[in-house]
Amino acid sequence: MSVTEQAASALMNNYGERTISLVRGEGVYVYDDAGKQYLDFTAGIAVSALGHAHPKLVARLQEQVATLIHCSNLYRTPWQEQLALRLQALSGMDRVFFCNSGTEANEAAIKLARRYAYRNGAEQRREIVSLPKAFHGRTMGSLSITPKPAYHEGYQPLIPGCVTPRDYHSAVELIGENTAACIVEIVQGEGGVNVVPRSVLEEINARCKETGALFIIDEVQTGVGRCGSFLAYQQLGLKPDIVTMAKGLGGGVPIGAVLASKEVAEAFTPGSHGTTFGGNPLAMAAGLTVTEVVSEPSFLEHVQDVGAYLRTALEEFGREVSGLGLMLGMTVENAKAFVLNAATNGVLLTAVADTRVRLVPPLIVEKTHVDEMVRRLRS
Ligand SMILES: Cc1ncc(COP(=O)(O)O)c(C=O)c1O
């Protein structure tokens, strides 16, 4: 066994075989251990919003590493308070809780929704309604509201009270007096880059308000400018009670956040939920830098502009091109083979279903990079 094989065999096999070994990144490019350059249209699964080694982010993180990396939530830190204020201003939500990933954010959102019902004398409200093809994460709570059977295999029993209808519209009928919350994505990334119809989202929003259930929007993948607005739901005029964020918010540094209205947020009282690492100064410095860049109106216009350009370019390679901003998917005959060929030609893409390919480049991507990607894919 080679040293490389021996090293790889020290890891659990939950990710299957990985053939590319990345060692460095710069802008929208990453490089493998043999020096081969790839155009990164995966961005660490919709994470590296500012691309790789962004000078502002590097400088800010270096400064923070030399100042204070971690101190726990036993203490206040200015960075956590600053990022909470920033997210408050950018989202219009009232309160923020920081954690470390998307699944943790959704886990906290489920807990918050149930506890809100409990504290408001509606203990029968235990159910969480999620949509078909949703993906909300891999911890037990988030997994329970992620309906894909393959992800459940061998992990039952999942948490009780999680229901998913067969089609989007039926979700509206499932929301009632036993519902703690309904959770949606605006564009379902892992489910195949499906844009959930606006009418469905509006009906769910209205039904939640009518029945007293909470409306949760999972912006883990769609948020932080990915869809051309700071949060995707802001394009639709929806009124969520809870919003979850992660991925792009830290530009590559692990982070998660739950945003809620004041009334709902009050259900979390001292000691009722927590995390050691959540809101640590390093992640907060990353979040402050990313949000400073991304929230610029010209930056969001750039995402819309290059997104539209990329969408047109993709029509050459696939059918049913869908998505919003720089979160796009297309249908090809064999997604795995397409992604493999693209990597051979120096483009990183992801397969999100047998026939669906997802493109989520760094948000700093330029039209010239799209042209370059097209040339590489053609070859
Ligand atoms: C919409 C959505 N929610 C939650 C998650 C889980 O996030 P994480 O992998 O950071 O736990 C993902 C990850 O792909 C996601 O796309």
Side-chain angles (χ1 to χ4, degrees):
M1 203 191 278
S2 72
V3 177
T4 323
E5 277 169 350
Q6 207 179 344
S9 75
L11 290 164
M12 293 197 192
N13 193 28
N14 52 315
Y15 296 115
E17 198 192 356
R18 293 173 286 175
T19 48
I20 299 170
S21 173
L22 296 180
V23 293
R24 187 169 74 81
E26 195 180 344
V28 297
Y29 297 99
V30 285
Y31 299 84
D32 71 12
D33 53 2
K36 179 172 171 175
Q37 183 204 60
Y38 299 85
L39 254 174
D40 185 5
F41 273 61
T42 293
I45 319 189
V47 165
S48 310
L50 304 188
H52 303 281
H54 188 281
K56 258 195 183 170
L57 187 59
V58 170
R60 186 65 192 84
L61 290 178
Q62 282 175 337
E63 184 198 330
Q64 193 61 48
V65 164
T67 308
L68 186 66
I69 297 176
H70 174 77
C71 63
S72 87
N73 286 298
L74 294 171
Y75 312 99
R76 289 174 62 182
T77 63
W79 307 284
Q80 196 180 110
E81 291 166 11
Q82 282 163 23
L83 187 55
L85 287 170
R86 174 84 53 80
L87 292 178
Q88 198 184 47
L90 289 171
S91 67
M93 303 298 286
D94 301 319
R95 299 277 189 274
V96 184
F97 164 78
F98 289 110
C99 51
N100 309 287
S101 66
T103 197
E104 264 187 58
N106 287 325
E107 203 74 26
I110 295 169
K111 287 180 74 178
L112 183 60
R114 284 191 168 172
R115 194 163 152 94
Y116 173 77
Y118 163 81
R119 281 176 50 94
N120 284 280
E123 279 185 57
Q124 86 285 358
R125 286 192 187 276
R126 300 284 92 187
E127 279 181 11
I128 311 287
V129 177
S130 59
L131 296 187
K133 296 200 175 163
F135 183 85
H136 298 295
R138 304 283 201 151
T139 49
M140 285 311 262
S142 302
L143 182 64
S144 304
I145 54 171
T146 295
K148 189 170 169 169
Y151 293 162
H152 292 179
E153 198 185 333
Y155 297 118
Q156 287 94 346
L158 301 176
I159 69 165
C162 296
V163 287
T164 307
R166 281 232 179 96
D167 58 87
Y168 291 147
H169 268 286
S170 306
V172 181
E173 287 139 41
L174 279 182
I175 300 166
E177 62 182 28
N178 293 328
T179 312
C182 176
I183 183 164
V184 303
E185 297 153 89
I186 305 297
V187 182
Q188 299 178 313
E190 302 303 304
V193 197
N194 316 312
V195 181
V196 179
R198 185 177 188 152
S199 60
V200 169
L201 296 169
E202 285 172 347
E203 278 177 48
I204 290 175
N205 192 7
R207 181 79 183 143
C208 284
K209 301 285 171 285
E210 193 182 297
T211 59
L214 299 182
F215 183 36
I216 307 176
I217 303 186
D218 177 342
E219 290 265 4
V220 166
Q221 193 160 155
T222 49
V224 201
R226 171 64 54 196
C227 294
S229 48
F230 185 69
L231 291 156
Y233 76 81
Q234 292 170 323
Q235 296 175 38
L236 306 173
L238 302 169
K239 295 263 175 288
D241 302 287
I242 301 176
V243 175
T244 55
M245 300 179 72
K247 288 196 183 275
L249 186 56
V253 177
I255 191 171
V258 181
L259 284 52
S261 67
K262 181 173 175 293
E263 189 195 339
V264 171
E266 277 168 3
F268 273 173
T269 50
S272 59
H273 189 60
T275 152
T276 300
F277 290 117
N280 70 79
L282 186 67
M284 298 299 100
L288 281 164
T289 312
V290 171
T291 50
E292 189 183 316
V293 176
V294 169
S295 60
E296 277 295 318
S298 62
F299 190 91
L300 294 171
E301 273 163 30
H302 165 87
V303 172
Q304 291 163 19
D305 189 31
V306 184
Y309 191 77
L310 176 59
R311 180 187 285 260
T312 307
L314 292 182
E315 274 152 16
E316 177 180 339
F317 300 100
R319 289 167 287 123
E320 295 155 285
V321 177
S322 65
L324 270 179
L326 281 170
M327 179 172 177
L328 295 170
M330 61 179 174
T331 300
V332 297
E333 214 156 276
N334 181 335
K336 262 195 189 148
F338 193 95
V339 166
L340 221 66
N341 278 331
T344 307
N345 291 305
V347 179
L348 296 186
L349 305 172
T350 29
V352 280
D354 291 347
T355 60
R356 293 288 287 172
V357 171
R358 170 179 49 186
L359 296 96
V360 278
L363 305 182
I364 55 157
V365 69
E366 298 284 349
K367 288 179 184 169
T368 51
H369 298 124
V370 174
D371 295 341
E372 192 181 343
M373 182 204 70
V374 167
R375 278 197 302 277
R376 290 187 186 192
L377 287 188
R378 270 191 199 138
S379 66

